[in-house]
Amino acid sequence: MTPPLLLIEDTPALRFAYRAVLEAAGHTITAAATAAAGLRAFHAEEPRVVLLDLMLPDRDGLSVMREMLAARPGTRIIVITSNASINQAVEAMRAGAHDFLVKPVDEQRIIHSVENALRVQETPPPAPGARPRHNGAPPTQGFLGSSAAMTDIHAKIRSVAPSMATVFITGESGTGKEICAQSIHDLSPRARGPFIALNCGAIPTDLLESEVFGHVRGAFTGAVGDKPGAAVAADGGTLFLDEVCEMDLALQPKLLRFLQTSTVTPVGATKPRKVDVRIVCATNRDPLEAVRRGTFREDLFYRLFVVPIHMPPLRERGDDVVEIAEAALTRFAAEEGRGFAGLDGDVKALLRSLPWPGNVRQLLNVIRNVVVLNDGPLVTPAMLPDRLVESTDPAAPDGPALPPAAPGIETLAGRTLAEIEQLVIEAAIARHGGSVPRAARELDVAPSTLYRKRDGWARGGQQP
């Protein structure tokens, strides 16, 4: 017989309501009103899932949760809290809670949370000695590197993937934040569902709400049909909000409400829709600094910043740079029909010594450049782009070369205004290690403007 779920809630009306909802969904419930009674039931019945109110009359709920997890680490604990205690819920997630619910708890939200916890419990463990896999993919597909920093990242991804906890990924541009988000999704019980990525900095402010929540026909000029939006498209899967700190302040309260209620109201609609979505977000900025500056809501930050993962820059990953370069060389050589077999010793030493402001993205571009313009069998320093080699030339007065400065006035003579604009924008992006949002702040324009312009240049088109 399947053990019952354990519900520990001291308020009688809420205890009755939660129990009724879960029993109507087919679950067997054991309910307790105090920490002491809840712990007795926990040890007697060994429930697979516990719903635990963090504010109990006889004991702090967080300490109760820690005692339960110490006794049976495999238990899935869903903590319940009020808006006033959201910080405590964040602490609980970091201490091992599976999910958290904010009062008043919606019926579908509590059912989804419990059923997700039960699905995780039913996932069979890997055979002894077997390498964990999911849908035929390695646990952290897309990542290379065996440095201590990346070993820690792999462990965090495997730990957080089975839960419903919101993950907040930080790191410089080019460090692999989206790959991290995809790996979390691929290892989660939601892997068969959609993974929807949305770059909040690449979408004009006036279109962002529609892109996230959708719109109905006639909601605004140009809305010729219904559009579901990213939140609905991700139903049953994961929604990845990249550059989340670039989200317009006016939209942030709506995102917060979505996180709290799991409901979506498209632009122009009057009836909300329930969705079951796991949120992963990322930024290359310091989110706390954005909160201090008033560009990112503090309550939204604490609702999102449950499980933080910081992606280390390439310069802090030791020999990973060589491992990544060799793997990229093999792949690009096969694609381009070149005969490369590896890197010579001088090139390996050079790669280790560089600061890599553009991180893995910059390294991949360098290797692609080498493969396209040369042939093997070994990559030598002479094959590397000139600026890369000059950056470690002992005769260079200032050590590593800086990213290109903005073009001088003498270099702009004879160019069109559009050409000058492109030169200035690309120089600003290069100065910031490839970060479009940082370049946009320097140029005092919206990041979406720069993304659109670069997209137009890539297609050979003109920007409005």
Side-chain angles (χ1 to χ4, degrees):
M1 180 178 176
T2 302
L5 308 180
L6 174 59
L7 168 65
I8 306 175
E9 165 64 61
D10 66 312
T11 304
L14 293 178
R15 190 168 62 251
F16 176 82
Y18 300 157
R19 182 170 191 160
V21 167
L22 290 168
E23 287 180 340
H27 300 289
T28 303
I29 308 297
T30 294
T34 64
L39 284 168
R40 285 195 296 271
F42 176 79
H43 292 297
E45 301 187 14
E46 299 186 353
R48 295 158 59 190
V49 176
V50 177
L51 292 100
L52 174 65
D53 187 2
L54 290 180
M55 303 296 290
L56 296 171
D58 56 335
R59 190 170 165 188
D60 173 49
L62 194 57
S63 69
V64 173
M65 185 196 78
R66 290 192 173 109
E67 181 175 331
M68 289 178 172
L69 291 176
R72 290 207 311 280
T75 307
R76 296 293 168 178
I77 299 181
I78 301 167
V79 298
I80 305 173
T81 187
S82 64
N83 273 314
S85 304
I86 194 72
N87 290 351
Q88 195 177 24
V90 170
E91 186 179 355
M93 293 299 297
R94 292 173 179 168
H98 173 75
D99 196 5
F100 75 93
L101 307 174
V102 179
K103 297 177 182 179
V105 181
D106 178 83
E107 290 185 11
Q108 290 303 310
R109 177 75 176 90
I110 195 171
I111 292 171
H112 283 151
S113 184
V114 166
E115 292 181 348
N116 177 266
L118 289 170
R119 281 197 300 270
V120 172
Q121 286 270 340
E122 291 164 0
T123 302
R131 185 181 182 185
R133 298 180 69 85
H134 194 93
N135 289 351
T140 51
Q141 182 177 15
F143 281 128
L144 290 173
S146 52
S147 64
M150 287 310 297
T151 299
D152 183 56
I153 294 295
H154 297 322
K156 285 183 179 178
I157 290 173
R158 293 189 187 100
S159 177
V160 73
S163 82
M164 273 291 290
T166 301
V167 181
F168 202 121
I169 308 168
T170 57
E172 297 176 7
S173 180
T175 51
K177 295 187 291 295
E178 184 165 350
I179 295 174
C180 178
Q182 181 74 61
S183 295
I184 291 168
H185 171 77
D186 290 343
L187 283 171
S188 76
R190 298 169 168 266
R192 290 189 179 88
F195 176 84
I196 304 297
L198 191 70
N199 189 325
C200 299
I203 301 170
T205 299
D206 54 348
L207 295 179
L208 188 56
E209 182 177 1
S210 172
E211 290 296 321
V212 177
F213 302 121
H215 63 252
V216 298
R217 181 179 179 181
F220 49 82
T221 303
V224 295
D226 293 350
K227 178 176 180 176
V232 172
D235 195 9
T238 302
L239 176 60
F240 174 52
L241 298 175
D242 198 7
E243 305 290 3
V244 70
C245 286
E246 307 301 326
M247 180 175 286
D248 187 77
L249 267 173
L251 185 57
Q252 291 178 27
K254 297 177 182 178
L255 176 61
L256 182 62
R257 177 169 176 76
F258 165 59
L259 294 170
Q260 292 173 337
T261 66
S262 297
T263 60
V264 173
T265 305
V267 178
T270 57
K271 185 178 179 181
R273 169 178 174 174
K274 292 294 295 185
V275 292
D276 176 22
V277 174
R278 199 252 184 98
I279 299 291
V280 179
C281 58
T283 182
N284 59 17
R285 296 172 59 181
D286 177 355
L288 275 175
E289 178 61 25
V291 171
R292 284 191 288 268
R293 292 174 53 211
T295 59
F296 199 71
R297 289 176 60 111
E298 185 175 18
D299 50 1
L300 178 59
F301 167 76
Y302 284 114
R303 188 61 178 80
L304 291 172
F305 203 78
V306 176
V307 179
I309 295 180
H310 181 70
M311 298 301 299
L314 187 56
R315 61 185 173 273
E316 296 178 4
R317 292 177 54 182
D319 284 341
D320 283 1
V321 64
V322 174
E323 186 176 340
I324 295 168
E326 289 176 333
L329 181 67
T330 300
R331 177 161 61 93
F332 295 155
E335 291 175 2
E336 302 291 343
R338 303 294 192 186
F340 283 101
L343 313 171
D344 82 1
D346 290 341
V347 169
K348 292 179 181 180
L350 177 62
L351 297 183
R352 293 188 192 100
S353 70
L354 292 170
W356 298 109
N359 292 294
V360 176
R361 186 182 295 123
Q362 180 188 5
L363 174 62
L364 296 179
N365 287 343
V366 167
I367 301 302
R368 174 74 80 176
N369 176 285
V370 168
V371 171
V372 168
L373 299 180
N374 303 277
D375 206 345
L378 292 179
V379 177
T380 65
M383 297 179 183
L384 298 173
D386 290 341
R387 277 194 76 82
L388 204 65
V389 177
E390 290 167 4
S391 69
T392 55
D393 183 350
D398 298 314
L402 296 173
I409 192 67
E410 66 280 356
T411 68
L412 304 180
R415 295 182 182 273
T416 66
L417 184 60
E419 290 172 335
I420 293 170
E421 179 185 56
Q422 183 173 358
L423 284 170
V424 171
I425 288 173
E426 292 294 359
I429 293 171
R431 277 196 302 280
H432 291 281
S435 171
V436 171
R438 291 177 185 172
R441 287 195 291 276
E442 176 188 319
L443 299 173
D444 196 25
V445 296
S448 58
T449 300
L450 301 191
Y451 282 113
R452 288 200 306 276
K453 288 182 179 295
R454 295 188 95 194
D455 186 54
W457 296 330
R459 294 196 308 265
Q462 297 296 317
Q463 294 299 312

